[in-house]
mmCIF file of all heavy atoms in Angstrom:
data_model
loop_
_atom_site.group_PDB
_atom_site.id
_atom_site.type_symbol
_atom_site.label_atom_id
_atom_site.label_comp_id
_atom_site.label_asym_id
_atom_site.label_seq_id
_atom_site.Cartn_x
_atom_site.Cartn_y
_atom_site.Cartn_z
ATOM 1 N N THR R 1 -211.436 -99.368 -150.573
ATOM 2 C CA THR R 1 -210.872 -100.543 -151.257
ATOM 3 C C THR R 1 -211.531 -101.847 -150.850
ATOM 4 O O THR R 1 -211.368 -102.864 -151.524
ATOM 5 C CB THR R 1 -209.371 -100.672 -150.978
ATOM 6 O OG1 THR R 1 -209.166 -100.943 -149.579
ATOM 7 C CG2 THR R 1 -208.623 -99.397 -151.369
ATOM 8 N N GLY R 2 -212.233 -101.855 -149.720
ATOM 9 C CA GLY R 2 -212.817 -103.086 -149.213
ATOM 10 C C GLY R 2 -211.863 -103.894 -148.354
ATOM 11 O O GLY R 2 -212.239 -104.956 -147.850
ATOM 12 N N HIS R 3 -210.633 -103.394 -148.164
ATOM 13 C CA HIS R 3 -209.644 -104.123 -147.374
ATOM 14 C C HIS R 3 -209.584 -103.576 -145.955
ATOM 15 O O HIS R 3 -209.571 -102.366 -145.741
ATOM 16 C CB HIS R 3 -208.261 -104.009 -148.010
ATOM 17 C CG HIS R 3 -207.255 -104.935 -147.400
ATOM 18 N ND1 HIS R 3 -206.345 -104.527 -146.447
ATOM 19 C CD2 HIS R 3 -207.019 -106.265 -147.607
ATOM 20 C CE1 HIS R 3 -205.591 -105.560 -146.091
ATOM 21 N NE2 HIS R 3 -205.978 -106.611 -146.774
ATOM 22 N N GLN R 4 -209.543 -104.483 -144.983
ATOM 23 C CA GLN R 4 -209.328 -104.109 -143.587
ATOM 24 C C GLN R 4 -207.826 -104.199 -143.318
ATOM 25 O O GLN R 4 -207.283 -105.281 -143.140
ATOM 26 C CB GLN R 4 -210.103 -105.054 -142.664
ATOM 27 C CG GLN R 4 -211.608 -104.932 -142.763
ATOM 28 C CD GLN R 4 -212.142 -103.756 -141.978
ATOM 29 O OE1 GLN R 4 -211.541 -103.305 -141.002
ATOM 30 N NE2 GLN R 4 -213.279 -103.227 -142.406
ATOM 31 N N SER R 5 -207.162 -103.054 -143.307
ATOM 32 C CA SER R 5 -205.707 -103.023 -143.114
ATOM 33 C C SER R 5 -205.366 -102.784 -141.655
ATOM 34 O O SER R 5 -206.073 -102.049 -140.947
ATOM 35 C CB SER R 5 -205.073 -101.907 -143.956
ATOM 36 O OG SER R 5 -205.191 -102.183 -145.341
ATOM 37 N N THR R 6 -204.274 -103.395 -141.222
ATOM 38 C CA THR R 6 -203.772 -103.071 -139.889
ATOM 39 C C THR R 6 -203.435 -101.586 -139.833
ATOM 40 O O THR R 6 -203.026 -100.991 -140.840
ATOM 41 C CB THR R 6 -202.512 -103.896 -139.570
ATOM 42 O OG1 THR R 6 -201.656 -103.949 -140.726
ATOM 43 C CG2 THR R 6 -202.876 -105.300 -139.144
ATOM 44 N N VAL R 7 -203.597 -100.979 -138.674
ATOM 45 C CA VAL R 7 -203.367 -99.532 -138.559
ATOM 46 C C VAL R 7 -201.909 -99.177 -138.809
ATOM 47 O O VAL R 7 -201.597 -98.034 -139.162
ATOM 48 C CB VAL R 7 -203.822 -98.985 -137.189
ATOM 49 C CG1 VAL R 7 -205.329 -99.046 -137.075
ATOM 50 C CG2 VAL R 7 -203.144 -99.721 -136.035
ATOM 51 N N THR R 8 -201.014 -100.135 -138.626
ATOM 52 C CA THR R 8 -199.627 -99.932 -139.020
ATOM 53 C C THR R 8 -199.375 -100.684 -140.315
ATOM 54 O O THR R 8 -199.572 -101.896 -140.400
ATOM 55 C CB THR R 8 -198.647 -100.437 -137.934
ATOM 56 O OG1 THR R 8 -199.101 -101.702 -137.452
ATOM 57 C CG2 THR R 8 -198.542 -99.458 -136.793
ATOM 58 N N LEU R 9 -198.956 -99.953 -141.336
ATOM 59 C CA LEU R 9 -198.606 -100.518 -142.637
ATOM 60 C C LEU R 9 -197.100 -100.701 -142.670
ATOM 61 O O LEU R 9 -196.357 -99.852 -142.174
ATOM 62 C CB LEU R 9 -199.039 -99.572 -143.757
ATOM 63 C CG LEU R 9 -200.436 -98.941 -143.617
ATOM 64 C CD1 LEU R 9 -200.692 -97.985 -144.777
ATOM 65 C CD2 LEU R 9 -201.508 -100.016 -143.543
ATOM 66 N N PHE R 10 -196.624 -101.789 -143.255
ATOM 67 C CA PHE R 10 -195.185 -102.016 -143.305
ATOM 68 C C PHE R 10 -194.558 -101.111 -144.354
ATOM 69 O O PHE R 10 -194.788 -101.291 -145.555
ATOM 70 C CB PHE R 10 -194.870 -103.469 -143.614
ATOM 71 C CG PHE R 10 -193.388 -103.747 -143.771
ATOM 72 C CD1 PHE R 10 -192.470 -103.275 -142.847
ATOM 73 C CD2 PHE R 10 -192.911 -104.465 -144.858
ATOM 74 C CE1 PHE R 10 -191.102 -103.504 -142.996
ATOM 75 C CE2 PHE R 10 -191.550 -104.714 -145.024
ATOM 76 C CZ PHE R 10 -190.646 -104.234 -144.090
ATOM 77 N N GLY R 11 -193.768 -100.133 -143.901
ATOM 78 C CA GLY R 11 -193.026 -99.265 -144.802
ATOM 79 C C GLY R 11 -191.791 -99.995 -145.317
ATOM 80 O O GLY R 11 -190.765 -100.076 -144.639
ATOM 81 N N ALA R 12 -191.899 -100.566 -146.524
ATOM 82 C CA ALA R 12 -190.865 -101.477 -147.017
ATOM 83 C C ALA R 12 -189.628 -100.783 -147.547
ATOM 84 O O ALA R 12 -188.729 -101.448 -148.074
ATOM 85 C CB ALA R 12 -191.445 -102.407 -148.069
ATOM 86 N N ALA R 13 -189.532 -99.467 -147.378
ATOM 87 C CA ALA R 13 -188.239 -98.807 -147.616
ATOM 88 C C ALA R 13 -187.181 -99.394 -146.687
ATOM 89 O O ALA R 13 -185.987 -99.323 -146.973
ATOM 90 C CB ALA R 13 -188.363 -97.303 -147.393
ATOM 91 N N ALA R 14 -187.616 -100.002 -145.592
ATOM 92 C CA ALA R 14 -186.685 -100.644 -144.653
ATOM 93 C C ALA R 14 -185.953 -101.821 -145.280
ATOM 94 O O ALA R 14 -184.942 -102.284 -144.733
ATOM 95 C CB ALA R 14 -187.437 -101.107 -143.413
ATOM 96 N N LEU R 15 -186.427 -102.314 -146.420
ATOM 97 C CA LEU R 15 -185.787 -103.452 -147.091
ATOM 98 C C LEU R 15 -184.814 -103.007 -148.184
ATOM 99 O O LEU R 15 -184.289 -103.854 -148.919
ATOM 100 C CB LEU R 15 -186.850 -104.361 -147.711
ATOM 101 C CG LEU R 15 -187.895 -104.943 -146.761
ATOM 102 C CD1 LEU R 15 -188.908 -105.779 -147.550
ATOM 103 C CD2 LEU R 15 -187.249 -105.786 -145.671
ATOM 104 N N ALA R 16 -184.571 -101.734 -148.300
ATOM 105 C CA ALA R 16 -183.803 -101.212 -149.432
ATOM 106 C C ALA R 16 -182.403 -101.793 -149.533
ATOM 107 O O ALA R 16 -181.914 -102.078 -150.635
ATOM 108 C CB ALA R 16 -183.724 -99.684 -149.351
ATOM 109 N N ARG R 17 -181.753 -101.999 -148.396
ATOM 110 C CA ARG R 17 -180.345 -102.417 -148.416
ATOM 111 C C ARG R 17 -180.099 -103.536 -147.414
ATOM 112 O O ARG R 17 -179.159 -103.476 -146.618
ATOM 113 C CB ARG R 17 -179.428 -101.225 -148.128
ATOM 114 C CG ARG R 17 -179.423 -100.185 -149.236
ATOM 115 C CD ARG R 17 -178.594 -98.968 -148.885
ATOM 116 N NE ARG R 17 -179.192 -98.229 -147.768
ATOM 117 C CZ ARG R 17 -180.169 -97.342 -147.911
ATOM 118 N NH1 ARG R 17 -180.654 -97.079 -149.105
ATOM 119 N NH2 ARG R 17 -180.668 -96.703 -146.871
ATOM 120 N N VAL R 18 -180.940 -104.560 -147.440
ATOM 121 C CA VAL R 18 -180.761 -105.686 -146.530
ATOM 122 C C VAL R 18 -180.683 -106.977 -147.342
ATOM 123 O O VAL R 18 -181.073 -107.030 -148.509
ATOM 124 C CB VAL R 18 -181.904 -105.786 -145.494
ATOM 125 C CG1 VAL R 18 -182.023 -104.507 -144.693
ATOM 126 C CG2 VAL R 18 -183.234 -106.118 -146.173
ATOM 127 N N SER R 19 -180.179 -108.032 -146.720
ATOM 128 C CA SER R 19 -180.103 -109.342 -147.377
ATOM 129 C C SER R 19 -181.480 -109.996 -147.385
ATOM 130 O O SER R 19 -182.387 -109.588 -146.642
ATOM 131 C CB SER R 19 -179.116 -110.238 -146.630
ATOM 132 O OG SER R 19 -179.635 -110.569 -145.347
ATOM 133 N N GLN R 20 -181.630 -111.042 -148.184
ATOM 134 C CA GLN R 20 -182.904 -111.767 -148.200
ATOM 135 C C GLN R 20 -183.165 -112.428 -146.859
ATOM 136 O O GLN R 20 -184.309 -112.499 -146.407
ATOM 137 C CB GLN R 20 -182.913 -112.813 -149.318
ATOM 138 C CG GLN R 20 -184.290 -113.439 -149.554
ATOM 139 C CD GLN R 20 -185.316 -112.416 -150.015
ATOM 140 O OE1 GLN R 20 -185.073 -111.658 -150.956
ATOM 141 N NE2 GLN R 20 -186.471 -112.374 -149.352
ATOM 142 N N ASP R 21 -182.114 -112.883 -146.195
ATOM 143 C CA ASP R 21 -182.286 -113.507 -144.887
ATOM 144 C C ASP R 21 -182.832 -112.497 -143.880
ATOM 145 O O ASP R 21 -183.736 -112.810 -143.102
ATOM 146 C CB ASP R 21 -180.958 -114.085 -144.398
ATOM 147 C CG ASP R 21 -181.104 -114.828 -143.078
ATOM 148 O OD1 ASP R 21 -181.909 -115.773 -143.012
ATOM 149 O OD2 ASP R 21 -180.426 -114.442 -142.099
ATOM 150 N N GLU R 22 -182.287 -111.272 -143.898
ATOM 151 C CA GLU R 22 -182.801 -110.229 -143.006
ATOM 152 C C GLU R 22 -184.246 -109.892 -143.341
ATOM 153 O O GLU R 22 -185.078 -109.677 -142.445
ATOM 154 C CB GLU R 22 -181.924 -108.987 -143.105
ATOM 155 C CG GLU R 22 -180.532 -109.156 -142.515
ATOM 156 C CD GLU R 22 -179.645 -107.960 -142.813
ATOM 157 O OE1 GLU R 22 -179.474 -107.624 -144.010
ATOM 158 O OE2 GLU R 22 -179.118 -107.356 -141.864
ATOM 159 N N ALA R 23 -184.539 -109.825 -144.645
ATOM 160 C CA ALA R 23 -185.901 -109.533 -145.058
ATOM 161 C C ALA R 23 -186.859 -110.623 -144.609
ATOM 162 O O ALA R 23 -187.966 -110.347 -144.123
ATOM 163 C CB ALA R 23 -185.958 -109.377 -146.577
ATOM 164 N N ASP R 24 -186.450 -111.868 -144.730
ATOM 165 C CA ASP R 24 -187.317 -112.979 -144.336
ATOM 166 C C ASP R 24 -187.588 -112.972 -142.830
ATOM 167 O O ASP R 24 -188.690 -113.335 -142.389
ATOM 168 C CB ASP R 24 -186.691 -114.306 -144.752
ATOM 169 C CG ASP R 24 -186.683 -114.499 -146.273
ATOM 170 O OD1 ASP R 24 -187.384 -113.736 -146.972
ATOM 171 O OD2 ASP R 24 -185.951 -115.381 -146.748
ATOM 172 N N ARG R 25 -186.605 -112.563 -142.046
ATOM 173 C CA ARG R 25 -186.846 -112.450 -140.608
ATOM 174 C C ARG R 25 -187.819 -111.312 -140.306
ATOM 175 O O ARG R 25 -188.627 -111.410 -139.377
ATOM 176 C CB ARG R 25 -185.517 -112.255 -139.862
ATOM 177 C CG ARG R 25 -184.597 -113.478 -139.951
ATOM 178 C CD ARG R 25 -183.586 -113.514 -138.817
ATOM 179 N NE ARG R 25 -182.729 -112.346 -138.762
ATOM 180 C CZ ARG R 25 -181.577 -112.231 -139.414
ATOM 181 N NH1 ARG R 25 -181.159 -113.209 -140.211
ATOM 182 N NH2 ARG R 25 -180.841 -111.150 -139.280
ATOM 183 N N ALA R 26 -187.765 -110.251 -141.115
ATOM 184 C CA ALA R 26 -188.729 -109.163 -140.949
ATOM 185 C C ALA R 26 -190.141 -109.649 -141.268
ATOM 186 O O ALA R 26 -191.113 -109.260 -140.605
ATOM 187 C CB ALA R 26 -188.363 -107.992 -141.855
ATOM 188 N N LEU R 27 -190.273 -110.496 -142.289
ATOM 189 C CA LEU R 27 -191.578 -111.064 -142.620
ATOM 190 C C LEU R 27 -192.160 -111.800 -141.427
ATOM 191 O O LEU R 27 -193.356 -111.691 -141.137
ATOM 192 C CB LEU R 27 -191.458 -112.011 -143.814
ATOM 193 C CG LEU R 27 -192.701 -112.850 -144.124
ATOM 194 C CD1 LEU R 27 -193.874 -111.964 -144.516
ATOM 195 C CD2 LEU R 27 -192.400 -113.867 -145.225
ATOM 196 N N GLU R 28 -191.324 -112.550 -140.710
ATOM 197 C CA GLU R 28 -191.811 -113.270 -139.539
ATOM 198 C C GLU R 28 -192.333 -112.310 -138.479
ATOM 199 O O GLU R 28 -193.319 -112.606 -137.788
ATOM 200 C CB GLU R 28 -190.696 -114.156 -138.969
ATOM 201 C CG GLU R 28 -190.276 -115.284 -139.898
ATOM 202 C CD GLU R 28 -191.439 -116.172 -140.292
ATOM 203 O OE1 GLU R 28 -192.230 -116.542 -139.398
ATOM 204 O OE2 GLU R 28 -191.583 -116.473 -141.492
ATOM 205 N N VAL R 29 -191.692 -111.152 -138.351
ATOM 206 C CA VAL R 29 -192.178 -110.148 -137.401
ATOM 207 C C VAL R 29 -193.542 -109.629 -137.848
ATOM 208 O O VAL R 29 -194.463 -109.473 -137.036
ATOM 209 C CB VAL R 29 -191.163 -108.997 -137.266
ATOM 210 C CG1 VAL R 29 -191.707 -107.908 -136.340
ATOM 211 C CG2 VAL R 29 -189.830 -109.509 -136.736
ATOM 212 N N LEU R 30 -193.694 -109.364 -139.148
ATOM 213 C CA LEU R 30 -194.987 -108.898 -139.659
ATOM 214 C C LEU R 30 -196.071 -109.927 -139.386
ATOM 215 O O LEU R 30 -197.173 -109.571 -138.929
ATOM 216 C CB LEU R 30 -194.891 -108.635 -141.162
ATOM 217 C CG LEU R 30 -193.896 -107.581 -141.634
ATOM 218 C CD1 LEU R 30 -193.960 -107.443 -143.148
ATOM 219 C CD2 LEU R 30 -194.146 -106.233 -140.967
ATOM 220 N N LEU R 31 -195.790 -111.182 -139.645
ATOM 221 C CA LEU R 31 -196.786 -112.231 -139.429
ATOM 222 C C LEU R 31 -197.113 -112.372 -137.952
ATOM 223 O O LEU R 31 -198.264 -112.635 -137.575
ATOM 224 C CB LEU R 31 -196.283 -113.559 -140.006
ATOM 225 C CG LEU R 31 -196.085 -113.591 -141.527
ATOM 226 C CD1 LEU R 31 -195.485 -114.926 -141.950
ATOM 227 C CD2 LEU R 31 -197.398 -113.332 -142.262
ATOM 228 N N ARG R 32 -196.107 -112.204 -137.124
ATOM 229 C CA ARG R 32 -196.330 -112.329 -135.679
ATOM 230 C C ARG R 32 -197.335 -111.300 -135.182
ATOM 231 O O ARG R 32 -198.180 -111.595 -134.334
ATOM 232 C CB ARG R 32 -195.000 -112.161 -134.947
ATOM 233 C CG ARG R 32 -195.131 -112.227 -133.425
ATOM 234 C CD ARG R 32 -193.814 -111.883 -132.750
ATOM 235 N NE ARG R 32 -193.937 -111.956 -131.309
ATOM 236 C CZ ARG R 32 -193.427 -111.079 -130.461
ATOM 237 N NH1 ARG R 32 -192.750 -110.057 -130.911
ATOM 238 N NH2 ARG R 32 -193.576 -111.229 -129.171
ATOM 239 N N TYR R 33 -197.251 -110.097 -135.745
ATOM 240 C CA TYR R 33 -198.137 -109.020 -135.308
ATOM 241 C C TYR R 33 -199.397 -108.904 -136.173
ATOM 242 O O TYR R 33 -200.215 -108.014 -135.951
ATOM 243 C CB TYR R 33 -197.393 -107.689 -135.302
ATOM 244 C CG TYR R 33 -196.483 -107.527 -134.104
ATOM 245 C CD1 TYR R 33 -195.147 -107.884 -134.164
ATOM 246 C CD2 TYR R 33 -196.970 -107.019 -132.897
ATOM 247 C CE1 TYR R 33 -194.310 -107.736 -133.063
ATOM 248 C CE2 TYR R 33 -196.148 -106.867 -131.797
ATOM 249 C CZ TYR R 33 -194.817 -107.229 -131.876
ATOM 250 O OH TYR R 33 -193.992 -107.087 -130.789
ATOM 251 N N GLY R 34 -199.521 -109.767 -137.160
ATOM 252 C CA GLY R 34 -200.715 -109.736 -138.000
ATOM 253 C C GLY R 34 -200.751 -108.607 -139.004
ATOM 254 O O GLY R 34 -201.818 -108.300 -139.553
ATOM 255 N N VAL R 35 -199.616 -107.963 -139.276
ATOM 256 C CA VAL R 35 -199.587 -106.871 -140.251
ATOM 257 C C VAL R 35 -199.943 -107.435 -141.625
ATOM 258 O O VAL R 35 -199.384 -108.451 -142.053
ATOM 259 C CB VAL R 35 -198.203 -106.196 -140.283
ATOM 260 C CG1 VAL R 35 -198.118 -105.159 -141.396
ATOM 261 C CG2 VAL R 35 -197.901 -105.557 -138.933
ATOM 262 N N ASN R 36 -200.867 -106.780 -142.311
ATOM 263 C CA ASN R 36 -201.378 -107.329 -143.567
ATOM 264 C C ASN R 36 -201.334 -106.337 -144.730
ATOM 265 O O ASN R 36 -202.099 -106.469 -145.682
ATOM 266 C CB ASN R 36 -202.804 -107.840 -143.372
ATOM 267 C CG ASN R 36 -203.800 -106.719 -143.099
ATOM 268 O OD1 ASN R 36 -203.423 -105.562 -142.871
ATOM 269 N ND2 ASN R 36 -205.083 -107.044 -143.128
ATOM 270 N N HIS R 37 -200.448 -105.364 -144.659
ATOM 271 C CA HIS R 37 -200.382 -104.321 -145.692
ATOM 272 C C HIS R 37 -198.918 -103.910 -145.861
ATOM 273 O O HIS R 37 -198.256 -103.525 -144.896
ATOM 274 C CB HIS R 37 -201.234 -103.126 -145.239
ATOM 275 C CG HIS R 37 -201.425 -102.056 -146.259
ATOM 276 N ND1 HIS R 37 -202.667 -101.554 -146.584
ATOM 277 C CD2 HIS R 37 -200.544 -101.353 -147.012
ATOM 278 C CE1 HIS R 37 -202.532 -100.602 -147.491
ATOM 279 N NE2 HIS R 37 -201.252 -100.461 -147.762
ATOM 280 N N ILE R 38 -198.415 -103.995 -147.094
ATOM 281 C CA ILE R 38 -197.024 -103.660 -147.417
ATOM 282 C C ILE R 38 -197.012 -102.490 -148.375
ATOM 283 O O ILE R 38 -197.718 -102.491 -149.392
ATOM 284 C CB ILE R 38 -196.300 -104.862 -148.063
ATOM 285 C CG1 ILE R 38 -196.224 -106.031 -147.083
ATOM 286 C CG2 ILE R 38 -194.904 -104.467 -148.532
ATOM 287 C CD1 ILE R 38 -195.646 -107.302 -147.705
#
């Protein structure tokens, strides 16, 4: 694909039953660790 993905991809099934506030806090965790693939 030409994309350099982090070796851990965010499995977004974890967002299935959470609030937007909880999801937004998860985004901050992804950014903190440099995760770049959802």
Side-chain angles (χ1 to χ4, degrees):
T1 66
H3 191 261
Q4 293 280 334
S5 293
T6 42
V7 291
T8 44
L9 317 178
F10 176 48
L15 302 178
R17 292 176 294 277
V18 303
S19 68
Q20 190 63 50
D21 184 57
E22 290 172 304
D24 291 346
R25 294 203 301 271
L27 170 64
E28 294 304 315
V29 177
L30 299 181
L31 296 176
R32 178 187 180 222
Y33 282 93
V35 174
N36 67 350
H37 188 129
I38 297 174

